Amino acid sequence: MSRRAATLTVASVLVLALALVGSLMPVPYVALMPGPTSNTLGVNDKGQPLIRIDGRQTYDDTGHLNFTTVTYRGGPGGRIDLFTALRGWLDGDTAIVPEETVFPKDESQKQVDEENTRQMQDSQESAEAAALHELKIPITTQVVVDGVQKGRPADGKLSPGDEVTALDGAKITSVAQITGTMAKRRIGDPVTLTIVRGGKESKQTLTTVADPTGKRPVVGIVLGDRYKFPFKIDISVGDIGGPSAGLMFSLAIVDKLTPGALTGGKFIAGTGTITPEGEVGPIGGIQQKMIAARRAGATVFLTPKDNCSDALSARPDGLRLVRADTLHGAVESINALTSGNGAVPACTK
C-alpha cells in the first residue's frame, strides 16, 4: 500500500472514530414524545375513579374526556446523546427542543419536577372552581400566603398558609383585590394586613418597599386564591405534573354533576390550562398530545385557540380539532357535536 493510501485509510478511520464518539456525546437538548392519555371519566392506574365527588349527586357517562400528556428524555440529570437527538429530528412523533425550554438555566431538574407538581395541584383547584362556576354552584374564596420573600417587610411576620382576610380594615376576597389596592399605595406607606393563622386572627402593620423595578410598593409576599367548596372533589392522577389538564378536569366535573352524558358516548380528548373563571389557556407539546389522543382512539380534540395554528400543521388523520376558548364554550361545542345542532368552532390559522 502506498504512503498516500495508508494516510487516507488512517484519516478515514480517525474521522469515523471521531464521528462515533461525537454521536455519543451528551447534548443540551430534550426529546418530547407522546405521553400517556387518561379518561377523566374513568379510573386511574389503581382502579379508583380518577375524579371522585362526595356529598353531591353524580351521573355516569360511558364516553371519554381524555387529558393528554407529553413525556420527555434528557435534561440536566441525564442528557441525550447527539445520535438520539438526530434520530428524534427525523421522527415525526418526536420534537427535539433546547434544554432551557423545559429546564430553565437557574433551576435544577428537582425544582422543575416540584414546580410541575405544584402546577398540577393548582390546576386541579382551578378546574374545580371553574366547573362549579359554570354550574352556578356558589363557592367561597380565600386569599392565602403562598410564599414570603427573605429580607422583605413580611419576612418573619407572615408565613405560608396564613389567610389574609383584610387590608387596612377592608375585607379581602381575592388576590386581584389586594393587587388593585396596593397599586394605589406609595413606596414607604404602611399597610395593615389582618391574617388568620391556626384559627387565630391577628394584625400585622408593614411598611412598603420598592419592588425590583423601583416603581411598585410591595411587602414581600406571594399570594394565591384558595377555594372552599360545598362538597368534596378528589382528583387522582398519580405523578403526572403540569397545568395542561385543567380544561379536561373541568369538563369531567361538569359532566359528572349534570344529568345525562355530556359526551354522548364519543371519544373526546383535549388539552388546555383553565382559570377559576373558565378561561382556557395555551399549552406546550400540542403535536405530541394530538398523536397520543389519536392513538388512544379519540376522534375529537379540544384545542386552545392560541395552539390552533401549530395543531393544524400537525393534525393526525381522523382527528377533528375543535377550538376551546372557555369552559362554557367547550361545553356548548360538545353539546353541538353530540346533538348535531349548533355551530362547532374549528381551529383556523
Side-chain angles (χ1 to χ4, degrees):
M1 181 183 295
S2 68
R3 180 177 295 180
R4 178 182 176 86
T7 301
L8 288 173
T9 300
V10 172
S12 298
V13 171
L14 287 174
V15 169
L16 181 61
L18 289 172
L20 179 61
V21 171
S23 70
L24 298 177
M25 291 180 61
V27 293
Y29 288 89
V30 174
L32 303 180
M33 299 162 289
T37 174
S38 302
N39 185 11
T40 56
L41 300 175
V43 297
N44 58 24
D45 55 7
K46 296 181 179 179
Q48 302 170 339
L50 195 145
I51 297 179
R52 179 173 176 174
I53 299 175
D54 294 321
R56 189 86 172 192
Q57 174 71 50
T58 59
Y59 306 88
D60 293 332
D61 185 341
T62 58
H64 284 250
L65 287 171
N66 281 42
F67 73 86
T68 51
T69 65
V70 173
T71 187
Y72 70 87
R73 289 181 62 189
R79 285 180 169 173
I80 60 175
D81 55 48
L82 179 59
F83 178 75
T84 300
L86 291 172
R87 187 172 56 185
W89 269 310
L90 297 174
D91 180 4
D93 293 351
T94 303
I96 303 297
V97 300
E99 189 175 84
E100 60 266 22
T101 63
V102 180
F103 300 94
K105 290 183 178 180
D106 58 344
E107 293 185 17
S108 67
Q109 186 159 341
K110 180 181 178 182
Q111 288 175 313
V112 170
D113 290 341
E114 290 174 347
E115 174 65 12
N116 285 336
T117 298
R118 186 192 66 78
Q119 288 180 340
M120 172 58 82
Q121 293 171 344
D122 290 346
S123 174
Q124 292 174 3
E125 187 167 26
S126 293
E128 294 166 14
L132 269 58
H133 177 76
E134 171 68 16
L135 296 172
K136 296 180 172 52
I137 298 174
I139 60 176
T140 302
T141 306
Q142 296 175 306
V143 177
V144 177
V145 176
D146 281 339
V148 179
Q149 298 169 341
K150 290 185 179 182
R152 296 290 189 174
D155 189 11
K157 295 185 178 182
L158 273 67
S159 300
D162 289 346
E163 180 186 356
V164 180
T165 59
L167 173 60
D168 290 337
K171 184 178 179 180
I172 292 298
T173 58
S174 70
V175 174
Q177 187 179 354
I178 289 184
T179 302
T181 301
M182 288 293 291
K184 301 175 183 177
R185 298 290 191 270
R186 293 177 299 179
I187 297 169
D189 282 351
V191 296
T192 299
L193 297 173
T194 303
I195 65 169
V196 176
R197 180 188 301 169
K200 296 182 179 179
E201 184 179 276
S202 64
K203 294 183 179 181
Q204 294 287 348
T205 299
L206 309 171
T207 301
T208 62
V209 296
D211 74 341
T213 69
K215 297 179 179 180
R216 294 190 304 116
V218 297
V219 295
I221 53 176
V222 179
L223 299 172
D225 288 325
R226 295 293 180 267
Y227 306 96
K228 283 187 176 180
F229 302 110
F231 46 86
K232 189 174 183 181
I233 304 174
D234 281 330
I235 302 177
S236 303
V237 295
D239 59 358
I240 296 173
S244 64
L247 170 62
M248 304 313 292
F249 289 151
S250 288
L251 286 168
I253 295 169
V254 169
D255 194 1
K256 286 176 173 286
L257 293 174
T258 307
L262 177 63
T263 68
K266 291 182 178 294
F267 196 133
I268 299 170
T271 187
T273 63
I274 197 78
T275 68
E277 296 75 32
E279 297 291 328
V280 177
I283 51 80
I286 188 71
Q287 295 93 337
Q288 287 69 43
K289 290 178 179 179
M290 290 190 300
I291 292 169
R294 188 68 187 110
R295 286 177 179 172
T299 57
V300 175
F301 193 85
L302 299 173
T303 310
K305 61 181 178 180
D306 290 339
N307 289 122
C308 274
S309 180
D310 289 338
L312 283 168
S313 64
R315 179 182 62 86
D317 291 340
L319 192 65
R320 179 177 181 178
L321 302 184
V322 175
R323 194 186 76 236
D325 300 348
T326 65
L327 172 60
H328 182 72
V331 171
E332 289 191 328
S333 293
I334 296 175
N335 284 330
L337 284 170
T338 57
S339 68
N341 298 317
V344 179
C347 270
T348 56
K349 290 188 177 182

